[in-house]
Amino acid sequence: MSNLKPHALIIGAGAIGSFYGAILKRAGCTVSAVVRSEYDAVKAHGFRFESPLGDISWKPDHLYKDGDRPDSTPDYVILATKVLPGSDRAGLVRPWVGEGTNIVLIQNGLDIERELADAFPDNPIISCLAFIAVSRVAPGEIKHNAYGRLVMGRYPSGLDDHCQALSDLFVEGGIDIKLTEEVVRERWLKCVWNTPFNPLSVLANGADTYTMLDTPGGEKLVREMMQEVIDAAKADGYALPPEIIDSNIDGTRKMPAYKNSMALDYLNDRPIELDAILGNVVAIARKHGVPVPRLETMLAALRMRA
Amino acid sequence: MSNLKPHALIIGAGAIGSFYGAILKRAGCTVSAVVRSEYDAVKAHGFRFESPLGDISWKPDHLYKDGDRPDSTPDYVILATKVLPGSDRAGLVRPWVGEGTNIVLIQNGLDIERELADAFPDNPIISCLAFIAVSRVAPGEIKHNAYGRLVMGRYPSGLDDHCQALSDLFVEGGIDIKLTEEVVRERWLKCVWNTPFNPLSVLANGADTYTMLDTPGGEKLVREMMQEVIDAAKADGYALPPEIIDSNIDGTRKMPAYKNSMALDYLNDRPIELDAILGNVVAIARKHGVPVPRLETMLAALRMRA
């Protein structure tokens, strides 16, 4: 990396990817993007934002579509697609990765880094979890509602200069970063909420949080599913604090009823991140011989729908 | 009961109720019916059948609607409605029951007799399971595709003259009856198939039998759910043969792929018999402290939909 501000390329520049692209642009980076269906809109107008951060709308320095090749190898390739069963994320990234390119994942779920780490063993893998409320309202138009914090760490563990440098850029661009030496633990922690609530909302035909908790047997089931996640995490080497179940339930009850992102994907006929959120948790539990009958029931029922 | 052929009244004269009414009519009984939305069609044309048994179309001797009162108390009140959460089946039956009236249930599910036995402690309760393929095609028009056998016994157990007399009538009308001293065991046996497959098909958005079995993890899940039913039955005093899981799976694979009745109810926006098929099994398992995590997961998810 030179002393010049680095070059970041966003792959999957939807609401989340284009938001973090905007932050890096504010930090002075060269920021490019690979887009698919929204190429024409972004080419014409860039990414237009409504955000509490002010005017963070931006135009990519280079705009690419699938099949294009880079003008120069970026310092950061930021993958911000949804993690869908059957998608070839290594293939998506490969054309853009050079020697020393940092591969940055801003994606949901558990055990989603392995595919990239296996495909690019010599590149740094920076794994990020986004805590943000942002949504695409039209081609190239994004509404940033709140938050934006990233939890970031080296995959599979530790911290290094690559993480620190990227964190500095994001902070310079105006968002909060939590650096962690145990990003996998952070993913497990997020699974305690996501792995029960997200798939359950789909099985319940898009039910909101209160509907799920207040249905007879609902809160009990959610708590039992959270315990299954905790059991799997423990067998995987991550002992999570037991009070996390209470705090997740209490936190959910303190917020208004809402439909989570997987429920919204389902209700809008978009594919759901089934493996990233649920399937990988079940696979790890099975590998360790941990019984997760409730999670397995959800997983099989949801796979039967496809 | 006099030496004359008895009087039977069908409550819930849909496809199943009107079929067994037709059989009793063929046996020479006086057969009446209480209908709701299809009153006009049945008044005009009776129940019209297409059936491998030949012409079994019939006109009720008395046709009633809700709120009517009987001309005379029937010997048999035959309840053939679906068993839906929140329905007041005792209330439905009460106006038609006199001293000595046999209350006959031709209904699906487990523990569905208790409500009637509690409400009418002095009347014989005859509990029947129907093995039949029959469907309503238009108001008052029914297509009988195949079968028709009833498994019949006294509730809660045993056999008596009331059962024998009704069985004789059905046999005279042309169908096969299996009398049992343990009708509750027969209900548990039927639950081994119904309790997993029916609700699971709804969670899987109306999936057919092959889709459920052939989805990765599907057959394993169905087998584990069958084991949960068997565990609950055992705790309830009914040890079922362990090979019943294999025989149910094999039997399902020998038939063409099909959508079960609950899947069809779901796909046609009709209410499903959730408690009769699943909720009551879970309640009995809980009463005995038997873990049924997979069945509980299905039950809570389906209740969240309402």
Side-chain angles (χ1 to χ4, degrees):
Chain A
M1 227 176 280
S2 69
N3 286 331
L4 294 170
K5 281 295 173 73
H7 176 198
L9 175 82
I10 316 287
I11 299 180
I16 287 190
S18 61
F19 174 80
Y20 290 103
I23 299 301
L24 293 176
K25 194 76 194 159
R26 295 208 321 173
C29 295
T30 299
V31 186
S32 305
V34 187
V35 294
R36 291 187 165 182
S37 55
E38 308 202 342
Y39 183 88
D40 291 341
V42 177
K43 187 80 189 172
H45 306 291
F47 293 104
R48 291 184 291 185
F49 274 83
E50 193 187 316
S51 168
L53 295 180
D55 183 10
I56 61 170
S57 298
W58 63 292
K59 278 203 163 189
D61 291 289
H62 302 272
L63 185 65
Y64 301 107
K65 36 190 172 185
D66 281 345
D68 287 349
R69 287 296 171 269
D71 300 283
S72 64
T73 302
D75 302 298
Y76 298 99
V77 163
I78 299 178
L79 186 59
T81 57
K82 287 209 291 182
V83 181
L84 299 176
S87 66
D88 174 14
R89 292 183 299 137
L92 215 55
V93 164
R94 184 164 289 114
W96 314 94
V97 170
E99 197 182 332
T101 299
N102 290 267
I103 299 174
V104 183
L105 306 182
I106 305 182
Q107 298 186 301
N108 245 328
L110 189 80
D111 200 23
I112 57 146
E113 304 95 339
R114 183 190 310 272
E115 177 187 349
L116 284 305
D118 287 350
F120 305 101
D122 300 323
N123 291 81
I125 307 281
I126 301 177
S127 178
C128 304
L129 283 149
F131 293 79
I132 187 167
V134 66
S135 58
R136 173 198 167 283
V137 291
E141 286 184 39
I142 299 101
K143 184 157 194 304
H144 171 220
N145 295 296
Y147 319 117
R149 186 162 178 258
L150 289 178
V151 173
M152 177 189 296
R154 179 179 179 277
Y155 178 80
S157 65
L159 279 171
D160 57 20
D161 293 346
H162 303 290
C163 293
Q164 189 62 58
L166 180 60
S167 171
D168 290 347
L169 290 168
F170 277 125
V171 170
E172 193 178 339
I175 63 162
D176 187 28
I177 301 288
K178 174 187 170 185
L179 287 168
T180 175
E181 300 210 343
E182 289 193 305
V183 73
V184 176
R185 174 186 300 278
E186 298 288 338
R187 290 191 176 273
W188 274 113
L189 283 167
K190 202 167 178 184
C191 282
V192 172
W193 199 96
N194 281 346
T195 302
F197 271 112
N198 284 9
L200 194 53
S201 70
V202 177
L203 282 183
N205 274 353
D208 65 33
T209 44
Y210 282 21
T211 301
M212 287 189 272
L213 288 177
D214 292 339
T215 294
E219 181 175 328
K220 176 172 173 285
L221 177 65
V222 169
R223 285 174 175 269
E224 290 166 340
M225 287 178 171
M226 288 179 171
Q227 188 60 53
E228 292 185 357
V229 175
I230 291 170
D231 293 345
K234 186 174 181 190
D236 201 40
Y238 300 93
L240 307 184
E243 63 271 20
I244 196 175
I245 294 180
D246 281 342
S247 62
N248 267 285
I249 297 289
D250 293 349
T252 306
R253 289 205 179 274
K254 276 181 193 144
M255 296 175 65
Y258 78 102
K259 293 182 193 288
N260 62 57
S261 61
M262 194 180 276
L264 294 174
D265 282 342
Y266 168 71
L267 291 171
N268 289 290
D269 280 324
R270 296 187 296 252
I272 61 172
E273 295 185 290
L274 187 60
D275 285 339
I277 302 297
L278 176 58
N280 294 352
V281 173
V282 169
I284 289 174
R286 280 184 189 150
K287 189 178 78 180
H288 296 300
V290 174
V292 288
R294 296 164 187 85
L295 301 183
E296 284 184 325
T297 300
M298 285 205 295
L299 181 63
L302 287 169
R303 285 189 173 152
M304 286 173 190
R305 293 184 169 200
Chain B
M1 226 173 284
S2 69
N3 286 330
L4 293 171
K5 281 296 173 73
H7 175 199
L9 174 82
I10 317 287
I11 299 180
I16 288 191
S18 61
F19 174 80
Y20 290 103
I23 299 301
L24 292 176
K25 194 77 195 159
R26 295 209 320 172
C29 295
T30 298
V31 187
S32 306
V34 187
V35 295
R36 290 188 167 182
S37 55
E38 309 202 341
Y39 183 88
D40 291 340
V42 176
K43 187 82 190 170
H45 306 291
F47 294 104
R48 290 182 292 185
F49 274 82
E50 192 187 316
S51 167
L53 294 180
D55 183 12
I56 60 170
S57 298
W58 64 290
K59 279 203 162 190
D61 292 287
H62 302 272
L63 185 66
Y64 301 107
K65 37 190 172 182
D66 281 345
D68 285 349
R69 288 294 171 270
D71 300 282
S72 64
T73 302
D75 302 298
Y76 297 100
V77 163
I78 299 178
L79 186 58
T81 57
K82 286 209 292 182
V83 181
L84 298 176
S87 67
D88 173 14
R89 293 183 298 137
L92 214 55
V93 164
R94 184 164 291 114
W96 314 94
V97 171
E99 195 181 336
T101 299
N102 291 265
I103 298 173
V104 183
L105 307 181
I106 305 182
Q107 299 185 303
N108 244 327
L110 190 79
D111 199 24
I112 57 147
E113 303 96 337
R114 184 189 310 271
E115 177 187 348
L116 285 304
D118 287 350
F120 305 101
D122 299 324
N123 292 80
I125 307 281
I126 301 177
S127 178
C128 304
L129 283 149
F131 293 79
I132 187 168
V134 68
S135 59
R136 173 198 166 283
V137 292
E141 285 184 37
I142 298 101
K143 184 158 194 304
H144 171 220
N145 295 295
Y147 319 117
R149 187 162 177 255
L150 288 178
V151 172
M152 177 190 295
R154 179 179 179 276
Y155 177 81
S157 65
L159 279 171
D160 56 21
D161 291 347
H162 303 290
C163 295
Q164 189 61 58
L166 180 60
S167 171
D168 289 349
L169 289 168
F170 277 124
V171 170
E172 192 178 340
I175 64 163
D176 188 28
I177 301 288
K178 175 186 168 184
L179 286 169
T180 174
E181 300 211 343
E182 289 193 306
V183 74
V184 176
R185 174 185 300 279
E186 298 288 337
R187 291 193 175 272
W188 274 113
L189 283 167
K190 200 167 179 184
C191 281
V192 172
W193 198 98
N194 282 346
T195 302
F197 271 112
N198 284 10
L200 195 53
S201 69
V202 177
L203 282 183
N205 274 352
D208 65 33
T209 44
Y210 282 21
T211 299
M212 288 190 271
L213 287 177
D214 292 339
T215 294
E219 181 175 328
K220 176 172 171 287
L221 177 64
V222 169
R223 286 175 175 269
E224 288 166 341
M225 288 178 170
M226 287 178 172
Q227 187 61 53
E228 291 185 359
V229 175
I230 290 171
D231 293 346
K234 186 174 178 191
D236 201 40
Y238 300 94
L240 308 183
E243 63 271 19
I244 195 176
I245 294 181
D246 281 342
S247 63
N248 266 285
I249 298 289
D250 294 349
T252 306
R253 289 204 178 275
K254 276 181 193 143
M255 294 176 66
Y258 78 102
K259 293 182 192 289
N260 61 57
S261 61
M262 194 182 276
L264 293 175
D265 282 341
Y266 168 72
L267 291 171
N268 290 290
D269 280 324
R270 296 188 296 252
I272 60 173
E273 295 184 290
L274 187 60
D275 285 338
I277 301 296
L278 176 59
N280 294 352
V281 173
V282 169
I284 289 173
R286 281 185 188 149
K287 189 179 77 180
H288 295 301
V290 174
V292 288
R294 297 164 187 84
L295 300 183
E296 283 183 326
T297 300
M298 285 205 296
L299 181 63
L302 287 169
R303 284 188 173 156
M304 286 173 191
R305 291 183 170 201

